[in-house]
Amino acid sequence: MSDLEVSPRGPLRGEVEVPGDKSVSHRSLLMNALAHGDARVRGLLRGEDVMSSMHAVQALGVTVEDDGVEVIVRGKGALREPANVIDCGNSGTTIRLLAGILAAEPFFTVLTGDASLRSRPMKRVAGPLREMGARIDGRDGGDRAPIAIRGGDLATKPFDLAVASAQVKTALLLAGRSQGIAVREPERSRDHTERMLVRMGADLKLDGEGWWRLAPTPRLDALDVDVPRDLSSAAFWLVAGAIVPGSEIRIPSVGINPTRSGVIDALRLMGADLTVTPVDAAGAEPIADLVIRHSTLRGARLDGELALRALDELPVLAIAAAFAEGETVIADAKELRVKESDRIARMVVGLRALGVNAEERPDGMVIQGGGAHGPASIDATGDHRIAMAFAIAGCVAPGGVSIAHAESIKTSYPTFLADLERLR
Ligand code: S3P
């Protein structure tokens, strides 16, 4: 699947069951590995990123059984020193959450990953963990993987973070759980960890000043999880349904956690015909059935907290913008530059190849709508969300889109191409 060709072939119609939520899947494995007891996880995403987390917890001495339907994590409330380095593959969530977990463990670990992961910043998590007393080193003055961690007894302190990052917040909450810890972010990032910690028996509260305050938590109870379907994967079909004439797509049982649901608000702002029907859910996460129908979209300003709540969906929203009427401005999203690739640069290069007028800004991009003007060749540079975003563009761009280095789609959505074929 290194080169992928997608050409227009009429409307997309029918139902698509997208895979389990990636963020919740990682946490179901990593957090239950710390707990006491057996946790049953249903609907786990079986993408490469989550498999990196599964192999990591196994390397740390936790038994994980997978019968293909249900995954059982047999937590013993303890981890052991791994015999070898742990390869986190392409997964930022795996390496950053593990860094927090291992900072509190009295042994030695080395975490590494693929070329993309080894180029991404780790100081944002290593810095605060060092302040708590963990010994962490790495390339580039300690900022890049491989990172070596020798953890142990940490001294807790409050952290007022400069960047809103769920990965950093989670790493600190998990590192500081035994002693208790307080963490505040400049804006609210996704809160899956907080929801799970509370259900695992932790005393964790958000105070009036925006501080997450976790009381000393020497023990976590195993938590059974029904993983909701991933809104970040559903986002590709929401945009496809909105921009391909004649389309109507139903996507059942998708997680709509308000800290993640910016793509729904953004598409509505752009005039999409999108129905969201909440479903009764007993788990920690709210769930809904989604139906999208084609309509004419209009440009919009996607910034502030909306941009943060749609961060991983901004690449495919940029495709929606290209096929809308008028101008779209994406701002306050400079974090896009340090994802699996520089997603601002990659999207602008790809949109221009499609003949779309698009311009880079330090913290986003400006896109003139009106559609694509001819076939294009795109290099996804191994970034799954860039590859899938341009595959959606290929469903409507005259002459189609050819995408190089698209194999990384497997990291988050292994059945993407099969679902695309079925909907067409
Ligand atoms: C994630 C957090 C986000 C997101 C990433 C998954 C998580 O990154 O982009 O895909 O599961 O915690 P941040 O750390 O920038 O919030």
Side-chain angles (χ1 to χ4, degrees):
M1 210 202 340
S2 64
D3 280 318
L4 170 62
E5 311 258 346
V6 183
S7 299
R9 223 199 280 156
L12 284 82
R13 301 185 70 87
E15 180 169 294
V16 57
E17 294 189 333
V18 298
D21 186 281
K22 185 151 77 73
S23 291
V24 174
S25 294
H26 281 298
R27 286 159 175 77
S28 300
L29 298 171
L30 295 168
M31 293 172 66
N32 273 313
L34 303 173
H36 290 259
D38 292 351
R40 292 174 183 280
V41 183
R42 283 169 294 266
L44 188 87
L45 166 64
R46 284 173 168 77
E48 282 176 357
D49 273 12
V50 175
M51 291 305 120
S52 293
S53 285
M54 187 186 283
H55 296 143
V57 302
Q58 288 170 327
L60 292 162
V62 178
T63 303
V64 181
E65 285 159 25
D66 183 358
D67 67 8
V69 179
E70 204 172 67
V71 171
I72 303 178
V73 184
R74 301 196 188 279
K76 295 178 296 216
L79 302 176
R80 64 148 200 254
E81 186 172 84
N84 202 348
V85 302
I86 294 181
D87 185 355
C88 302
N90 191 244
S91 177
T93 307
T94 305
I95 197 167
R96 296 208 181 103
L97 268 53
L98 271 180
I101 288 169
L102 296 169
E105 297 292 333
F107 54 68
F108 176 74
T109 328
V110 179
L111 304 176
T112 189
D114 69 8
S116 154
L117 191 62
R118 281 182 277 114
S119 74
R120 296 178 65 187
M122 294 298 143
K123 211 176 260 169
R124 52 180 58 198
V125 56
L129 293 170
R130 283 188 199 114
E131 284 182 46
M132 290 169 81
R135 279 180 284 167
I136 305 183
D137 208 346
R139 290 186 310 120
D140 255 3
D143 191 27
R144 316 266 165 203
I147 52 173
I149 303 174
R150 189 173 286 283
D153 272 342
L154 301 180
T156 190
K157 56 171 278 200
F159 286 99
D160 209 355
L161 301 175
V163 188
S165 159
Q167 293 171 352
V168 175
K169 173 180 60 178
T170 302
L172 296 178
L173 288 170
L174 295 180
R177 67 190 188 282
S178 300
Q179 302 88 336
I181 189 167
V183 183
R184 180 160 73 172
E185 311 179 271
E187 277 177 286
R188 211 157 153 200
S189 68
R190 62 191 66 191
D191 66 359
H192 307 298
T193 303
E194 295 89 312
R195 289 168 183 257
M196 275 183 71
L197 277 173
V198 169
R199 287 182 175 238
M200 295 173 88
D203 175 1
L204 172 66
K205 292 194 180 71
L206 182 62
D207 77 9
E209 259 111 55
W211 286 92
W212 283 104
R213 295 192 181 279
L214 176 63
T217 310
R219 179 193 159 97
L220 291 171
D221 299 324
L223 179 70
D224 291 344
V225 182
D226 270 312
V227 180
R229 297 184 189 280
D230 199 329
L231 180 58
S232 297
S233 297
F236 298 104
W237 309 124
L238 294 180
V239 171
I243 66 175
V244 182
S247 297
E248 175 167 342
I249 306 173
R250 183 170 182 279
I251 319 166
S253 303
V254 179
I256 53 156
N257 181 316
T259 60
R260 285 275 297 283
S261 59
V263 63
I264 291 174
D265 302 321
L267 283 171
R268 283 189 166 149
L269 198 61
M270 297 174 82
D273 179 355
L274 170 58
T275 313
V276 178
T277 310
V279 176
D280 268 347
E285 299 283 337
I287 288 169
D289 294 336
L290 311 179
V291 178
I292 183 84
R293 294 181 193 84
H294 171 258
S295 63
T296 303
L297 298 183
R298 54 179 181 268
R301 201 176 158 85
L302 311 178
D303 61 1
E305 60 85 41
L306 177 60
L308 176 62
R309 292 192 304 112
L311 195 63
D312 290 349
E313 294 70 60
L314 289 175
V316 76
L317 283 168
I319 299 296
F323 292 91
E325 288 176 353
E327 180 179 275
T328 293
V329 177
I330 296 176
D332 303 322
K334 70 173 191 306
E335 279 294 298
L336 284 180
R337 294 206 183 268
V338 289
K339 295 294 177 186
E340 286 82 329
S341 69
D342 177 340
R343 288 180 173 163
I344 294 175
R346 293 317 325 158
M347 285 311 300
V348 168
V349 167
L351 287 170
R352 285 187 174 164
L354 278 164
V356 175
N357 181 345
E359 212 183 280
E360 267 193 53
R361 294 276 165 86
D363 66 339
M365 58 195 110
V366 179
I367 299 159
Q368 308 301 331
H373 304 283
S377 293
I378 309 285
D379 187 351
T381 63
D383 183 329
H384 56 133
R385 297 206 197 279
I386 299 294
M388 290 186 278
F390 282 104
I392 298 307
C395 294
V396 64
V401 177
S402 150
I403 305 156
H405 300 113
E407 62 284 346
S408 56
I409 289 175
K410 299 194 292 289
T411 62
S412 68
Y413 196 165
T415 52
F416 175 79
L417 289 180
D419 287 346
L420 174 61
E421 285 309 305
R422 224 162 19 78
L423 285 171
R424 316 212 282 166

